[in-house]
Amino acid sequence: GLFSGLTATVVAFWQYVVLRALTAVTESGIRGAQTILIGEEAPPRIRGRLQSASWAFLFLGAATGGLVASAVLATGNWRLLFLITFAPMLLVFFVTRYLRESPRFLALRNRAEGIGGTTRRIEREAVRRLFSREHLPQTVAMMAFGFFCFSAGSFTTLVAPIYLVEARGFAVEHASQSVTIMFAFALLGNLPTGWLTDKVSPKYVMVLWEALAAVLLLPVVLVDGR
């Protein structure tokens, strides 16, 4: 929100690149921390549903943002759009007071104090375990899956609006509405996923959901190609 507000003052491309880089770093940090907090706090039997709900709210926010953007873009006031994005950041300071310290973080700190060591040493041991002979294949597989999954999703989200405007002659507000629709369906996709991961191994849900997305995309591409 802060960097989107600053985007309204951008006058050079390099300034935009710097702001987008800072935005990406902070956004990734927030999402990662949110996932960890829920994983630690949530009871195992409903962990999938709570994790799903948290991501659903992220997509709900994205869909709402796209809807607001389409309305503002219709007026041609781009700077107003970036300034509106700045407003929700103020909620962060209010919401933070309701978050408590991560139980696992507190336990790690207490453990380090109890053995006279440091949390850094304990964390190094955990990292070594991730890359040990036993866990290395899983670590590499998860990193590769995350890379391809999120790069494909980001590519589609970014390129689709440009394609609609440049190749199909859509107005920019229509392209923004298409982003809203994408995130609205992403919101719907989160709901059954959380329930499934509480009933079925997340390993299979993760892989089958990705395969289903690829299969459903084929008819669209083939029809458009004709």
Side-chain angles (χ1 to χ4, degrees):
L2 172 63
F3 297 126
S4 292
L6 291 174
T7 304
T9 64
V10 165
V11 295
F13 180 68
W14 71 267
Q15 293 174 337
Y16 179 76
V17 171
V18 170
L19 285 174
R20 290 305 303 169
L22 293 173
T23 302
V25 171
T26 55
E27 182 180 354
S28 298
I30 291 169
R31 290 188 179 186
Q34 177 190 13
T35 301
I36 292 169
L37 279 171
I38 293 173
E40 292 181 349
E41 295 277 358
R45 62 185 181 83
I46 59 170
R47 185 171 293 161
R49 277 166 283 181
L50 291 178
Q51 193 70 263
S52 174
S54 73
W55 279 88
F57 273 104
L58 285 173
F59 288 120
L60 177 61
T64 304
L67 191 62
V68 172
S70 64
V72 174
L73 288 172
T75 68
N77 195 338
W78 285 83
R79 292 187 183 276
L80 175 62
L81 177 62
F82 289 121
L83 291 173
I84 288 175
T85 311
F86 174 76
M89 188 200 69
L90 301 177
L91 291 175
V92 173
F93 299 102
F94 175 77
V95 172
T96 305
R97 63 185 295 186
Y98 296 102
L99 296 177
R100 63 178 180 174
E101 289 283 1
S102 159
R104 185 166 296 182
F105 174 77
L106 292 176
L108 179 65
R109 187 170 62 187
N110 293 336
R111 179 186 166 197
E113 293 174 353
I115 63 175
T118 64
T119 56
R120 184 170 297 179
R121 192 188 77 184
I122 298 174
E123 289 166 352
R124 279 201 300 264
E125 292 174 1
V127 171
R128 288 196 195 99
R129 195 159 54 246
L130 281 176
F131 291 93
S132 65
R133 180 176 297 180
E134 179 185 0
H135 298 292
L136 180 60
Q138 176 175 284
T139 301
V140 172
M142 287 300 300
M143 288 181 174
F145 185 90
F147 171 79
F148 288 110
C149 179
F150 280 96
S151 61
S154 299
F155 180 82
T156 304
T157 304
L158 292 171
V159 171
I162 299 173
Y163 168 76
L164 291 175
V165 173
E166 295 291 335
R168 295 296 187 181
F170 280 56
V172 288
E173 59 266 27
H174 293 156
S176 182
Q177 289 170 5
S178 73
V179 175
T180 301
I181 293 171
M182 281 191 286
F183 282 118
F185 276 90
L187 170 64
L188 295 175
N190 265 279
L191 302 180
T193 300
W195 180 83
L196 277 174
T197 53
D198 287 330
K199 306 295 181 182
V200 184
S201 170
K203 168 184 174 180
Y204 299 110
V205 176
M206 179 177 68
V207 175
L208 291 177
W209 233 234
E210 186 74 7
L212 179 62
V215 171
L216 291 176
L217 190 62
L218 282 176
V220 180
V221 175
L222 293 175
V223 170
D224 186 69
R226 294 174 185 174

